[in-house]
Amino acid sequence: LSARKPAWLRVGVPGGERYQKVRETVRGLRLHTVCEEAHCPNVAECWGGGTATVMLMGDVCTRGCRFCNVKTAARPPPLDADEPRHLAEAIAQLGLDYIVVTSVDRDDLPDGGAGHFADAIRRLKAIPNLLVEVLTPDFLRKDGALETVVEAAPDIYNHNLETVPSLYLKVRPGA
């Protein structure tokens, strides 16, 4: 067996013009990405290709899932009311035609952040030819949260199931 790793397994060093443009745009508008917050090893490939998965509602989650690398706190900072507008500005500047929007869990909010998600979706849908996929939290089963997001009409509504129900309490407290 060769000691060399195959090319498809190697992760490149972040760089290049497109990577820099995504990085500068995201940081300039104070947006958070899963790419950075979760220390994704594919950031060079995705940002170099002009793709980013944006994370709404800040960079602090109210849960402490053992499989995640995002910061946690019982009382995270308040939502940035300008974040949905900044997100739409960034996506328009980057000229993307597909965006995935996800978030931290914000169990401290009355609607779990569903209204914030809906505002972002409506602003993104105003960009011509942009497809919007959302990957939402469970909103801690708060009444009306799911309907609020669905009514904003994302092109794709997605939701992760990280584990089976019998393991929730062990690997995903609060789920």
Side-chain angles (χ1 to χ4, degrees), residues 2-175:
S2 171
R4 297 192 66 170
K5 295 177 183 161
W8 59 266
L9 185 60
R10 293 184 214 141
V11 176
V13 176
E17 187 177 323
R18 196 129 194 226
Y19 169 86
Q20 289 300 331
K21 182 176 181 179
V22 171
R23 182 175 182 229
E24 289 168 11
T25 301
V26 166
R27 288 196 177 157
L29 291 169
R30 298 184 341 252
L31 298 172
H32 301 282
T33 66
V34 171
C35 316
E36 290 181 300
E37 305 306 332
H39 303 289
C40 179
N42 301 318
V43 69
E45 181 181 348
C46 292
W47 285 16
T51 299
T53 298
V54 178
M55 192 165 69
L56 289 178
M57 301 191 278
D59 63 347
V60 180
C61 185
T62 55
R63 298 190 191 165
C65 302
R66 290 174 175 87
F67 54 81
C68 186
N69 201 28
V70 174
K71 293 181 282 191
T72 62
R75 292 186 185 95
L79 294 180
D80 175 359
D82 292 327
E83 186 181 44
R85 181 176 52 83
H86 286 163
L87 172 58
E89 288 174 10
I91 300 313
Q93 285 177 26
L94 292 169
L96 301 179
D97 54 15
Y98 193 93
I99 179 68
V100 178
V101 181
T102 190
S103 74
V104 292
D105 284 299
R106 289 297 303 261
D107 299 333
D108 60 314
L109 301 172
D111 69 350
H116 201 71
F117 247 102
D119 185 17
I121 293 165
R122 284 189 289 275
R123 290 173 185 272
L124 290 166
K125 295 296 290 175
I127 300 170
N129 303 313
L130 178 67
L131 293 175
V132 179
E133 176 179 344
V134 294
L135 177 60
T136 68
D138 60 17
F139 300 117
L140 202 59
R141 300 170 302 282
K142 296 184 180 195
D143 286 340
L146 176 65
E147 293 80 3
T148 297
V149 176
V150 169
E151 287 169 7
D155 295 293
I156 298 170
Y157 192 112
N158 214 333
H159 178 71
N160 279 346
L161 297 176
E162 281 87 6
T163 188
V164 295
S166 64
L167 295 177
Y168 276 179
L169 294 178
K170 186 172 186 172
V171 300
R172 193 160 189 235

